[in-house]
Amino acid sequence: MKKTKLKSGKIRAVYPGSFDPVTRGHIDVAKRAISVFDEVVIAVINNPSKKTRFSVAERISMLKKSLVREGLGKVKVDSFEGLLVHYMKTIKAGIIVRGLRAVSDFEYEFQMALMNRALAPDIETVFFMTDAKYAYLSSSIVKEVASLGGDVSSAVPPSAAAQLKKNR
Ligand code: ADP
């Protein structure tokens, strides 16, 4: 029997990603995840060798504001360095949440899910399909459009739209 549950019987899931910045697609996945699992922790990857537009603190702040605004205050936000499965063991989480947009996401997600399974057989990866209206959204396209002066308010929560405008 797998140990994906806590001793209390509850299931703690982790939704890891760069969230550079959070988009409405990420929020949609978080909403679906918290409707299924007892606890969801959005875990911002702190990878000093990867260049990001926003600092970890800024990414966390945008996420927290967006979650509260969406009535998802129950979803926690944290950050981690190093291997995801090591972080998950320290907080006793048993499920990795990832979002799927299109077939193009599949290959990379499949590879990562199998690698994480090889590293930690007790941890399961679960995928949520985003709402079709967010299927084309990514943090990178949002950054590109915003840097060219485009309006991204339909793609990202207000806290991220404001930061993108400031950091142009
Ligand atoms: P990473 O750098 O790990 O790809 P991201 O912050 O881009 O992190 O994304 C984190 C997760 O959210 C990934 O599983 C990704 O597929 C998913 N995701 C990103 N954008 C969307 C979206 N618009 N709809 C649903 N899932 C998404």
Side-chain angles (χ1 to χ4, degrees):
M1 191 55 187
K2 285 201 180 200
K3 296 193 281 291
T4 40
K5 289 185 183 170
L6 296 168
K7 278 203 187 94
S8 60
K10 290 194 169 167
I11 300 183
R12 179 175 292 152
V14 168
Y15 179 22
S18 309
F19 305 101
D20 186 41
V22 57
T23 68
R24 291 188 190 269
H26 293 134
I27 296 293
D28 183 70
V29 169
K31 198 179 279 178
R32 292 174 198 282
I34 197 66
S35 74
V36 173
F37 301 119
D38 302 295
E39 291 178 29
V40 174
V41 181
I42 296 187
V44 175
I45 299 165
N46 182 2
N47 179 355
S49 66
K50 201 172 153 191
K51 213 181 139 18
T52 54
R53 169 76 59 88
F54 299 104
S55 68
V56 171
E58 285 171 324
R59 285 181 270 158
I60 289 179
S61 158
M62 288 183 273
L63 273 162
K64 282 189 176 163
K65 285 182 190 153
S66 324
L67 290 165
V68 167
R69 197 172 179 278
E70 292 294 320
L72 297 170
K74 206 184 149 199
V75 176
K76 299 195 181 94
V77 184
D78 194 9
S79 68
F80 72 99
E81 256 180 85
L83 270 186
L84 173 63
V85 294
H86 288 168
Y87 164 71
M88 291 183 63
K89 294 233 158 109
T90 65
I91 68 158
K92 298 191 168 64
I95 304 282
I96 301 171
V97 165
R98 294 288 286 176
L100 280 182
R101 284 161 290 192
V103 186
S104 50
D105 278 339
F106 180 78
E107 194 148 340
Y108 173 67
E109 294 294 342
F110 182 66
Q111 193 180 19
M112 268 215 315
L114 291 188
M115 179 51 84
N116 283 326
R117 180 178 289 165
L119 293 168
D122 274 348
I123 293 178
E124 277 299 341
T125 303
V126 173
F127 295 96
F128 286 88
M129 258 10 132
T130 181
D131 190 300
K133 63 178 181 279
Y134 304 128
Y136 65 92
L137 262 187
S138 69
S139 298
S140 11
I141 194 126
V142 162
K143 280 182 278 193
E144 201 172 323
V145 171
S147 71
L148 298 170
D151 177 13
V152 290
S153 53
S154 62
V156 296
S159 59
Q163 279 284 346
L164 281 161
K165 220 168 184 174
K166 218 165 82 184
N167 278 38
R168 240 184 88 187

Coordinates of all heavy atoms in Angstrom, one line a residue, residues 32-88:
R32 N -9.0 23.4 -9.1 CA -9.4 22.0 -9.3 C -8.7 21.1 -8.3 O -9.3 20.2 -7.8 CB -9.0 21.6 -10.8 CG -9.9 22.3 -11.8 CD -9.4 22.0 -13.2 NE -10.0 23.0 -14.1 CZ -11.3 23.0 -14.5 NH1 -12.1 22.1 -14.1 NH2 -11.7 24.0 -15.3
A33 N -7.4 21.4 -8.0 CA -6.7 20.5 -7.1 C -7.3 20.6 -5.7 O -7.4 19.6 -5.0 CB -5.2 20.9 -7.1
I34 N -7.6 21.8 -5.2 CA -8.1 21.9 -3.9 C -9.6 21.3 -3.7 O -10.0 21.0 -2.7 CB -8.0 23.4 -3.3 CG1 -8.1 23.4 -1.8 CG2 -9.0 24.3 -4.0 CD1 -7.1 22.8 -1.0
S35 N -10.2 21.2 -4.9 CA -11.6 20.5 -4.8 C -11.4 19.0 -4.7 O -12.4 18.3 -4.4 CB -12.4 20.9 -6.1 OG -11.9 20.2 -7.2
V36 N -10.2 18.5 -4.9 CA -10.0 17.0 -4.8 C -9.2 16.6 -3.6 O -9.5 15.6 -2.9 CB -9.3 16.6 -6.1 CG1 -8.9 15.1 -6.0 CG2 -10.1 16.8 -7.3
F37 N -8.1 17.4 -3.3 CA -7.2 17.1 -2.2 C -7.5 17.9 -0.9 O -8.0 19.0 -1.0 CB -5.8 17.3 -2.6 CG -5.4 16.4 -3.8 CD1 -5.0 17.0 -5.0 CD2 -5.6 15.0 -3.8 CE1 -4.7 16.2 -6.1 CE2 -5.3 14.3 -4.9 CZ -4.9 14.8 -6.1
D38 N -7.2 17.4 0.2 CA -7.4 18.1 1.5 C -6.5 19.3 1.6 O -7.0 20.3 2.1 CB -7.1 17.1 2.7 CG -8.0 15.9 2.6 OD1 -9.2 16.0 2.8 OD2 -7.4 14.8 2.4
E39 N -5.3 19.2 1.2 CA -4.3 20.3 1.3 C -3.6 20.5 0.0 O -3.1 19.4 -0.5 CB -3.3 20.1 2.4 CG -3.9 20.1 3.8 CD -2.9 19.8 4.9 OE1 -1.7 20.1 4.7 OE2 -3.3 19.3 5.9
V40 N -3.4 21.7 -0.4 CA -2.6 21.9 -1.6 C -1.6 23.0 -1.3 O -1.9 24.1 -0.8 CB -3.5 22.4 -2.9 CG1 -2.6 22.7 -4.0 CG2 -4.4 21.2 -3.3
V41 N -0.3 22.7 -1.6 CA 0.7 23.7 -1.4 C 1.3 24.0 -2.8 O 1.8 23.1 -3.5 CB 1.9 23.1 -0.6 CG1 3.0 24.2 -0.4 CG2 1.4 22.6 0.8
I42 N 1.2 25.3 -3.2 CA 1.9 25.7 -4.5 C 3.3 26.0 -4.1 O 3.6 26.8 -3.2 CB 1.2 27.0 -5.0 CG1 -0.2 26.7 -5.4 CG2 2.0 27.5 -6.3 CD1 -1.0 27.8 -6.2
A43 N 4.2 25.2 -4.8 CA 5.6 25.3 -4.4 C 6.4 26.0 -5.6 O 6.6 25.4 -6.6 CB 6.2 24.0 -4.1
V44 N 6.9 27.2 -5.3 CA 7.7 27.9 -6.3 C 9.1 27.4 -6.3 O 9.8 27.3 -5.3 CB 7.7 29.4 -5.9 CG1 8.6 30.2 -6.9 CG2 6.2 30.0 -5.9
I45 N 9.5 27.0 -7.5 CA 10.9 26.5 -7.7 C 11.9 27.6 -7.6 O 11.8 28.6 -8.3 CB 11.0 25.7 -9.0 CG1 10.0 24.6 -9.1 CG2 12.5 25.3 -9.3 CD1 9.9 24.0 -10.5
N46 N 12.8 27.4 -6.7 CA 13.9 28.4 -6.5 C 15.2 27.8 -7.1 O 15.9 27.0 -6.4 CB 14.1 28.7 -5.0 CG 15.2 29.8 -4.8 OD1 15.7 30.3 -5.7 ND2 15.4 30.0 -3.5
N47 N 15.4 28.1 -8.4 CA 16.5 27.5 -9.1 C 17.4 28.7 -9.5 O 17.2 29.3 -10.5 CB 16.0 26.8 -10.3 CG 17.1 26.1 -11.1 OD1 18.3 26.4 -10.8 ND2 16.8 25.4 -12.1
P48 N 18.5 29.0 -8.7 CA 19.3 30.1 -9.0 C 20.0 30.1 -10.3 O 20.4 31.1 -10.9 CB 20.4 30.1 -7.8 CG 19.8 29.2 -6.8 CD 18.9 28.2 -7.5
S49 N 20.1 28.9 -11.0 CA 20.8 28.8 -12.2 C 19.8 29.1 -13.4 O 20.2 29.3 -14.6 CB 21.5 27.5 -12.4 OG 20.5 26.5 -12.5
K50 N 18.5 29.2 -13.1 CA 17.5 29.5 -14.1 C 17.1 31.0 -14.0 O 16.7 31.5 -13.0 CB 16.3 28.6 -14.0 CG 15.5 28.5 -15.3 CD 14.4 27.5 -15.1 CE 13.2 27.8 -16.0 NZ 12.0 27.0 -15.7
K51 N 17.2 31.7 -15.2 CA 16.9 33.1 -15.1 C 15.4 33.3 -15.1 O 14.7 32.8 -16.0 CB 17.6 33.9 -16.3 CG 18.0 35.3 -15.9 CD 18.6 36.1 -17.0 CE 18.1 37.5 -17.0 NZ 17.5 38.0 -15.8
T52 N 14.9 34.1 -14.2 CA 13.5 34.4 -14.1 C 13.3 35.9 -14.1 O 14.1 36.6 -13.8 CB 12.9 33.8 -12.8 OG1 13.6 34.3 -11.7 CG2 12.9 32.3 -12.8
R53 N 12.1 36.3 -14.5 CA 11.7 37.7 -14.6 C 11.5 38.2 -13.1 O 11.9 39.3 -12.8 CB 10.5 37.9 -15.4 CG 9.9 39.3 -15.3 CD 10.6 40.3 -16.1 NE 10.7 40.0 -17.5 CZ 9.7 40.3 -18.4 NH1 8.7 41.1 -18.0 NH2 9.8 39.9 -19.6
F54 N 10.9 37.4 -12.3 CA 10.5 37.8 -10.9 C 11.3 37.0 -9.9 O 11.6 35.8 -10.1 CB 9.0 37.7 -10.7 CG 8.2 38.6 -11.7 CD1 7.6 38.0 -12.7 CD2 8.2 39.9 -11.5 CE1 6.8 38.8 -13.6 CE2 7.4 40.7 -12.3 CZ 6.8 40.2 -13.4
S55 N 11.6 37.6 -8.8 CA 12.3 36.9 -7.7 C 11.3 36.0 -7.1 O 10.1 36.0 -7.3 CB 12.7 37.9 -6.6 OG 11.6 38.5 -6.0
V56 N 11.8 35.1 -6.3 CA 11.0 34.1 -5.6 C 9.9 34.8 -4.7 O 8.7 34.5 -4.7 CB 11.8 33.1 -4.8 CG1 10.9 32.2 -3.9 CG2 12.6 32.2 -5.7
A57 N 10.4 35.8 -4.0 CA 9.5 36.6 -3.1 C 8.4 37.3 -3.9 O 7.2 37.3 -3.5 CB 10.3 37.6 -2.3
E58 N 8.7 37.8 -5.1 CA 7.7 38.5 -5.9 C 6.7 37.4 -6.4 O 5.5 37.7 -6.4 CB 8.4 39.2 -7.1 CG 9.1 40.5 -6.7 CD 9.9 41.0 -7.9 OE1 10.5 40.2 -8.7 OE2 10.0 42.2 -8.0
R59 N 7.2 36.3 -6.8 CA 6.3 35.2 -7.4 C 5.4 34.7 -6.3 O 4.2 34.5 -6.5 CB 7.1 34.1 -8.0 CG 7.8 34.5 -9.3 CD 8.6 33.3 -9.9 NE 10.0 33.4 -9.5 CZ 10.8 32.3 -9.5 NH1 10.3 31.1 -9.8 NH2 12.0 32.4 -9.1
I60 N 5.9 34.6 -5.1 CA 5.1 34.1 -3.9 C 4.0 35.2 -3.6 O 2.8 34.9 -3.4 CB 6.0 33.8 -2.7 CG1 6.8 32.6 -2.9 CG2 5.1 33.7 -1.4 CD1 7.7 32.2 -1.8
S61 N 4.4 36.4 -3.6 CA 3.5 37.5 -3.3 C 2.3 37.6 -4.3 O 1.2 37.7 -3.9 CB 4.3 38.8 -3.2 OG 3.4 39.9 -3.4
M62 N 2.7 37.5 -5.6 CA 1.6 37.5 -6.6 C 0.7 36.3 -6.5 O -0.5 36.5 -6.6 CB 2.3 37.5 -8.0 CG 3.0 38.8 -8.4 SD 3.6 38.7 -10.1 CE 5.2 38.0 -9.9
L63 N 1.2 35.1 -6.2 CA 0.4 34.0 -6.0 C -0.5 34.1 -4.8 O -1.7 33.9 -4.9 CB 1.3 32.7 -5.8 CG 1.8 32.0 -7.0 CD1 3.0 31.1 -6.6 CD2 0.7 31.2 -7.6
K64 N 0.0 34.6 -3.7 CA -0.8 34.7 -2.5 C -2.0 35.7 -2.7 O -3.1 35.4 -2.4 CB 0.0 35.2 -1.3 CG 0.9 34.1 -0.7 CD 1.5 34.5 0.6 CE 2.3 33.3 1.2 NZ 3.2 33.8 2.2
K65 N -1.7 36.8 -3.3 CA -2.7 37.8 -3.6 C -3.8 37.2 -4.5 O -5.0 37.4 -4.3 CB -2.1 39.1 -4.2 CG -1.4 39.9 -3.2 CD -0.8 41.2 -3.9 CE 0.1 41.9 -2.9 NZ 1.1 42.7 -3.6
S66 N -3.4 36.5 -5.5 CA -4.3 36.0 -6.5 C -5.2 34.9 -5.9 O -6.4 34.8 -6.1 CB -3.6 35.3 -7.7 OG -2.5 36.0 -8.1
L67 N -4.6 34.1 -5.0 CA -5.4 33.0 -4.4 C -6.4 33.6 -3.4 O -7.6 33.2 -3.5 CB -4.4 32.1 -3.6 CG -3.5 31.2 -4.5 CD1 -2.4 30.6 -3.7 CD2 -4.3 30.1 -5.2
V68 N -6.0 34.6 -2.7 CA -7.0 35.2 -1.7 C -8.1 35.8 -2.5 O -9.3 35.7 -2.2 CB -6.3 36.3 -0.8 CG1 -7.3 37.1 -0.1 CG2 -5.4 35.6 0.1
R69 N -7.8 36.5 -3.6 CA -8.8 37.2 -4.5 C -9.8 36.2 -5.0 O -10.9 36.5 -5.2 CB -8.0 37.9 -5.6 CG -8.9 38.9 -6.3 CD -8.0 39.7 -7.3 NE -8.9 40.7 -7.9 CZ -9.7 40.4 -8.9 NH1 -9.7 39.2 -9.4 NH2 -10.5 41.3 -9.5
E70 N -9.3 35.0 -5.3 CA -10.2 33.9 -5.9 C -10.9 33.1 -4.9 O -11.5 32.1 -5.2 CB -9.3 33.0 -6.8 CG -8.8 33.7 -8.1 CD -9.9 34.1 -9.0 OE1 -10.8 33.3 -9.2 OE2 -9.8 35.2 -9.6
G71 N -10.7 33.5 -3.6 CA -11.4 32.7 -2.5 C -10.7 31.4 -2.3 O -11.2 30.4 -1.8
L72 N -9.4 31.3 -2.7 CA -8.6 30.1 -2.5 C -7.6 30.2 -1.4 O -6.4 29.7 -1.5 CB -7.9 29.7 -3.8 CG -8.9 29.4 -5.0 CD1 -8.1 29.3 -6.3 CD2 -9.6 28.1 -4.7
G73 N -7.9 31.0 -0.4 CA -6.9 31.2 0.7 C -6.5 30.0 1.4 O -5.4 29.9 2.1
K74 N -7.2 28.9 1.2 CA -6.8 27.6 1.8 C -5.6 27.0 1.1 O -4.9 26.2 1.7 CB -8.0 26.6 1.6 CG -8.1 25.5 2.6 CD -9.3 24.6 2.2 CE -8.9 23.2 2.7 NZ -9.7 22.1 2.1
V75 N -5.3 27.4 -0.1 CA -4.2 26.9 -0.8 C -2.9 27.6 -0.3 O -2.9 28.8 -0.2 CB -4.3 27.1 -2.4 CG1 -3.0 26.7 -3.1 CG2 -5.5 26.4 -2.9
K76 N -1.9 26.8 0.1 CA -0.7 27.5 0.7 C 0.3 27.7 -0.4 O 0.3 27.1 -1.4 CB -0.1 26.5 1.8 CG -1.1 26.2 2.9 CD -0.3 25.6 4.1 CE -1.2 25.3 5.2 NZ -1.7 23.9 5.2
V77 N 1.2 28.6 -0.1 CA 2.3 28.9 -1.0 C 3.6 28.8 -0.3 O 3.8 29.2 0.8 CB 2.2 30.3 -1.6 CG1 3.2 30.6 -2.7 CG2 0.8 30.6 -2.2
D78 N 4.6 28.1 -1.0 CA 5.9 27.9 -0.4 C 6.9 28.0 -1.5 O 6.5 28.1 -2.7 CB 5.9 26.6 0.3 CG 7.0 26.3 1.3 OD1 7.8 27.3 1.6 OD2 7.2 25.2 1.7
S79 N 8.2 27.8 -1.2 CA 9.2 27.7 -2.2 C 10.2 26.6 -1.8 O 10.2 26.2 -0.6 CB 9.9 29.0 -2.4 OG 10.7 29.3 -1.3
F80 N 10.9 26.1 -2.8 CA 11.9 25.0 -2.5 C 13.0 25.1 -3.4 O 12.9 25.6 -4.5 CB 11.2 23.6 -2.5 CG 10.9 23.1 -3.9 CD1 11.7 22.3 -4.6 CD2 9.8 23.6 -4.6 CE1 11.4 21.8 -5.9 CE2 9.5 23.2 -5.9 CZ 10.3 22.3 -6.5
E81 N 14.2 24.6 -3.0 CA 15.4 24.4 -3.8 C 15.7 23.0 -3.9 O 15.4 22.2 -3.0 CB 16.5 25.2 -3.1 CG 16.9 26.5 -3.6 CD 18.0 27.2 -2.9 OE1 19.2 26.8 -3.2 OE2 17.7 28.0 -2.0
G82 N 16.3 22.6 -5.0 CA 16.8 21.2 -5.1 C 15.7 20.3 -5.6 O 14.7 20.7 -6.3
L83 N 15.8 19.0 -5.3 CA 14.8 18.0 -5.8 C 13.5 18.2 -5.2 O 13.3 18.2 -4.0 CB 15.4 16.6 -5.6 CG 16.3 16.0 -6.6 CD1 16.5 14.5 -6.1 CD2 15.7 16.0 -8.0
L84 N 12.5 18.1 -6.1 CA 11.1 18.2 -5.6 C 10.7 17.1 -4.7 O 10.1 17.3 -3.6 CB 10.1 18.1 -6.9 CG 8.6 18.0 -6.6 CD1 8.1 19.3 -5.8 CD2 7.8 17.8 -7.8
V85 N 11.1 15.9 -5.0 CA 10.8 14.7 -4.1 C 11.4 14.9 -2.7 O 10.8 14.4 -1.7 CB 11.0 13.4 -4.7 CG1 10.2 13.1 -6.0 CG2 12.5 13.2 -5.1
H86 N 12.6 15.5 -2.6 CA 13.2 15.7 -1.3 C 12.3 16.7 -0.5 O 12.1 16.5 0.7 CB 14.6 16.2 -1.4 CG 15.6 15.2 -1.9 ND1 16.8 15.5 -2.3 CD2 15.4 13.8 -2.0 CE1 17.5 14.4 -2.7 NE2 16.6 13.4 -2.5
Y87 N 12.0 17.8 -1.2 CA 11.1 18.8 -0.5 C 9.8 18.1 0.0 O 9.4 18.4 1.1 CB 10.8 19.9 -1.5 CG 9.7 20.8 -1.1 CD1 9.8 21.7 0.0 CD2 8.5 20.8 -1.8 CE1 8.7 22.5 0.4 CE2 7.4 21.6 -1.4 CZ 7.6 22.4 -0.4 OH 6.5 23.2 0.0
M88 N 9.2 17.3 -0.9 CA 7.9 16.7 -0.6 C 8.1 15.8 0.6 O 7.1 15.7 1.5 CB 7.4 15.9 -1.8 CG 7.0 16.9 -2.8 SD 6.2 16.2 -4.3 CE 4.8 15.4 -3.6

